[in-house]
Amino acid sequence: MLVPTLLLSVSLVLLIVGAEGLVRGSASLALRLGLTPLVVGLTVVAFGTSSPELVVSIKAALAGQGDIAVGNVVGSNIFNIGVILGLTALICPIAIQLQMIKLDVPIMIGAAILLPILLMDQNLGRVEGGLLTVGVIAYTAFNVWLARKNSSKAVEQEFDEGVPGKSKHWFLDVIFVIVGLGILVWGSQMLVENAVILARALGMSEAVIGLTIIAAGTSMPELATSVIAALRKQPDIAVGNIVGSNIFNVLGILGIASLVTPIQVGGIQMLDYAVMIGISILLLPFLWSGLKLRRIEGGVLLLIYAGYLFAVWPKS
């Protein structure tokens, strides 16, 4: 038990380091190609920060561990709202932009509802994967167009500060990308293998380990970013990051993973889908009330996650 636990911890560090390298190298290359920081932030950086979930789900799907691949996404979406937004709001109430309520949150809810419909036959094939991938491309393209249309100097400056700058040479960018990807693949393999060992030792199914430990582990970068922003009294970026991440998890991660290889699912229960959909829908009135996510609402989100964790965790 001790060795798999230590290796699991090491794998999470590798995923964070690998994602950082991939984001830095890719963002620098994109800037060299003439893309603006705004476009780079909405595409390269947004996708790069979700690379741990993507690589883990693809690795699990290729290994025939569909429950881990889908459980990682469903569990991450629940964790993102319940824990990350809940904890961030407890630290500092979060102001909300109206566009988030009118566009992004409804799309997130729609993606959450779509997933169990596509998995009614417990299979996510390449056709469904293609549709999901087209969806994430369309969503990203629309976001870029909207951001350019409504951009201001303040918005441009925010993205300019948040996007990694260009390195000294393009060759360094390539090294960052290759090494980052290599570390991600290594870390994802270590994470999945040791998570399965722990699951079996604890009498847990692969679905539960994917929904809880793996999902929480791959969401650690988002948690750290959001908590730091809240401590600096700048928590507004948390909602955009989390809602965008949840949309990308369903459309992008499962879309790409099922394009690589069809995913078979058997252990994800209706409760898991219901909690993901329910907490996504609940977020909408929370955000709508005064255009702010308050501390009491953050506490409610944390309690919902605690209740979900109690429900799915195996009882000894």
Side-chain angles (χ1 to χ4, degrees):
M1 284 284 288
L2 179 60
V3 173
T5 302
L6 288 174
L7 290 176
L8 190 72
S9 303
V10 171
S11 69
L12 296 177
V13 175
L14 290 175
L15 289 176
I16 294 172
V17 172
E20 177 69 15
L22 179 63
V23 168
R24 285 187 174 277
S26 301
S28 180
L29 281 174
L31 291 172
R32 290 183 194 280
L33 292 173
L35 297 181
T36 65
L38 186 147
V39 174
V40 173
L42 288 171
T43 56
V44 176
V45 174
F47 291 176
T49 52
S50 292
S51 54
E53 289 97 328
L54 176 60
V55 177
V56 167
S57 287
I58 290 177
K59 168 67 179 65
L62 287 171
Q65 297 165 320
D67 285 343
I68 289 180
V70 176
N72 178 34
V73 167
V74 174
S76 288
N77 280 17
I78 298 171
F79 184 88
N80 284 348
I81 297 175
V83 176
I84 297 180
L85 284 187
L87 187 58
T88 303
L90 274 182
I91 297 172
C92 182
I94 308 171
I96 310 298
Q97 294 181 357
L98 196 58
Q99 176 195 321
M100 185 72 57
I101 298 171
K102 290 182 174 180
L103 176 67
D104 298 280
V105 175
I107 291 176
M108 179 186 71
I109 294 170
I113 294 172
L114 177 63
L115 183 57
I117 294 174
L118 293 179
L119 284 169
M120 285 180 67
D121 60 353
Q122 298 187 333
N123 178 68
L124 201 61
R126 288 192 170 94
V127 174
E128 293 97 328
L131 291 173
L132 292 173
T133 304
V134 169
V136 76
I137 292 172
Y139 171 73
T140 303
F142 181 75
N143 256 350
V144 170
W145 173 81
L146 197 64
R148 280 177 164 174
K149 179 184 176 183
N150 300 326
S151 67
S152 62
K153 288 186 178 179
V155 172
E156 291 283 356
Q157 183 179 356
E158 181 179 343
F159 276 94
D160 193 33
E161 293 172 352
V163 171
K166 287 191 290 187
S167 65
K168 294 182 179 179
H169 196 276
W170 66 265
F171 186 67
L172 289 175
D173 303 337
V174 175
I175 291 177
F176 268 116
V177 171
I178 293 174
V179 173
L181 279 172
I183 293 175
L184 276 171
V185 171
W186 180 27
S188 67
Q189 182 172 351
M190 188 184 298
L191 174 67
V192 172
E193 287 177 354
N194 288 281
V196 170
I197 292 172
L198 280 175
R200 289 170 180 167
L202 295 171
M204 299 168 66
S205 67
E206 290 184 358
V208 172
I209 202 76
L211 287 160
T212 55
I213 296 176
I214 292 179
T218 54
S219 294
M220 283 300 112
E222 289 94 335
L223 176 61
T225 300
S226 297
V227 168
I228 290 171
L231 291 173
R232 291 175 177 172
K233 307 300 182 183
Q234 299 171 328
D236 51 306
I237 65 171
V239 175
N241 287 344
I242 293 308
V243 172
S245 177
N246 280 15
I247 294 171
F248 182 75
N249 282 350
V250 175
L251 301 182
I253 291 176
L254 289 183
I256 295 170
S258 56
L259 275 178
V260 173
T261 181
I263 300 174
Q264 300 287 333
V265 182
I268 310 298
Q269 304 298 317
M270 188 51 65
L271 170 67
D272 306 310
Y273 296 124
V275 173
M276 177 181 66
I277 294 169
I279 201 169
S280 300
I281 293 174
L282 179 64
L283 186 62
L284 191 57
F286 278 6
L287 299 182
W288 190 270
S289 60
L291 295 180
K292 183 174 288 188
L293 190 64
R294 299 178 177 86
R295 285 190 174 90
I296 188 170
E297 293 161 337
V300 170
L301 293 176
L302 279 169
L303 286 174
I304 290 173
Y305 186 80
Y308 169 70
L309 203 61
F310 177 79
V312 300
W313 202 263
K315 312 298 188 293
S316 57

